[in-house]
Amino acid sequence: GNRVLKGALQQGSLSKQDYYRQLLRMVYRLIFLLVAEDRDLLLLPDTPDAMQARYRRFYSVGRLRALAAARRGSPHPDLYRGLRLLFGQLRDGYAPLGLPALGSFLFSAQATPLLDQADLANYDLLHAIRALTAINQGNVRRVVDFKNLGAEELGSVYESLLELEPELSVDAATFALRTVAGSERKTTGSYYTP
């Protein structure tokens, strides 16, 4: 299901760095939605209760977080397809769910063009959601409190993601991230400013 993405990587029309940037934007979308949902800021004001319930039950990232805490997932891509649908609805807004038009580059079709065509198995998506929404401290697993996440903490997350360097082997179908000294954050001058 990901022939276009794999082909772009193999042919070099999608560089390792551009692929990584698309992945980062996907993570930023998830963080944005987790914060907005937990603070009850995503849906339009005066959205009827039934529409809010429909959004939470079938479309929300909070739903994916609950699934990730309870299940390992399957090889099917239905959860990622639903997430892609949500991202598309946020581009222009979707009144039947009370979703606003965000009109930002982050949710635009240009931000993640190849990832918007790709599929991702439920177990991989749920694994990523678990990694994003909980941290292990020793033997204790703590859920990230996105509702009370401060601007400086968000900035720290942003900076730490930019300090990672992708390692990609198209032939071996592997992708990993490692921390390096000359990161994109430093070379592009990207820093969090309060």
Side-chain angles (χ1 to χ4, degrees):
N2 294 325
R3 277 184 246 132
V4 173
L5 176 61
K6 288 178 185 177
L9 288 166
Q10 288 170 336
Q11 297 163 7
S13 59
L14 177 64
S15 71
K16 172 179 69 170
Q17 200 61 35
D18 286 338
Y19 177 53
Y20 178 54
R21 285 185 186 112
Q22 287 191 43
L23 290 171
L24 279 178
R25 290 179 193 127
M26 185 69 64
V27 171
Y28 297 152
R29 285 176 178 177
L30 292 169
I31 291 171
F32 174 88
L33 291 173
L34 286 162
V35 170
E37 286 178 6
D38 282 3
R39 294 179 182 178
D40 289 324
L41 296 174
L42 182 63
L43 301 181
L44 294 169
D46 302 322
T47 299
D49 291 344
M51 290 168 69
Q52 291 181 38
R54 187 178 312 121
Y55 173 79
R56 282 192 300 276
R57 185 171 178 202
F58 298 110
Y59 296 93
S60 75
V61 179
R63 170 183 164 262
L64 293 177
R65 180 175 32 187
L67 287 172
R71 298 182 189 169
R72 297 209 27 92
S74 69
H76 306 291
D78 57 299
L79 296 176
Y80 185 68
R81 289 179 182 176
L83 189 60
R84 285 186 351 222
L85 177 66
L86 173 62
F87 294 156
Q89 291 170 334
L90 286 166
R91 288 181 186 132
D92 300 315
Y94 189 68
L97 287 176
L99 292 172
L102 296 179
S104 69
F105 176 75
L106 183 60
F107 285 92
S108 72
Q110 296 79 25
T112 56
L114 292 171
L115 296 181
D116 289 344
Q117 301 174 40
D119 273 332
L120 183 63
N122 289 346
Y123 49 71
D124 291 323
L125 176 62
L126 294 178
H127 176 74
I129 296 289
R130 274 190 298 278
L132 188 61
T133 59
I135 55 173
N136 293 321
Q137 293 178 323
N139 293 331
V140 178
R141 186 161 179 82
R142 299 188 190 277
V143 175
V144 176
D145 181 6
F146 287 96
K147 182 176 185 175
N148 295 305
L149 200 62
E152 289 186 15
E153 293 164 316
L154 282 170
S156 177
V157 169
Y158 177 75
E159 284 184 354
S160 65
L161 287 170
L162 288 177
E163 289 180 350
L164 300 172
E165 180 74 25
E167 290 182 350
L168 173 68
S169 171
V170 178
D171 296 331
T174 61
F175 181 85
L177 297 170
R178 63 182 175 90
T179 305
V180 293
S183 68
E184 180 169 346
R185 177 177 70 87
K186 292 176 183 164
T187 58
T188 62
S190 299
Y191 293 92
Y192 168 72
T193 305

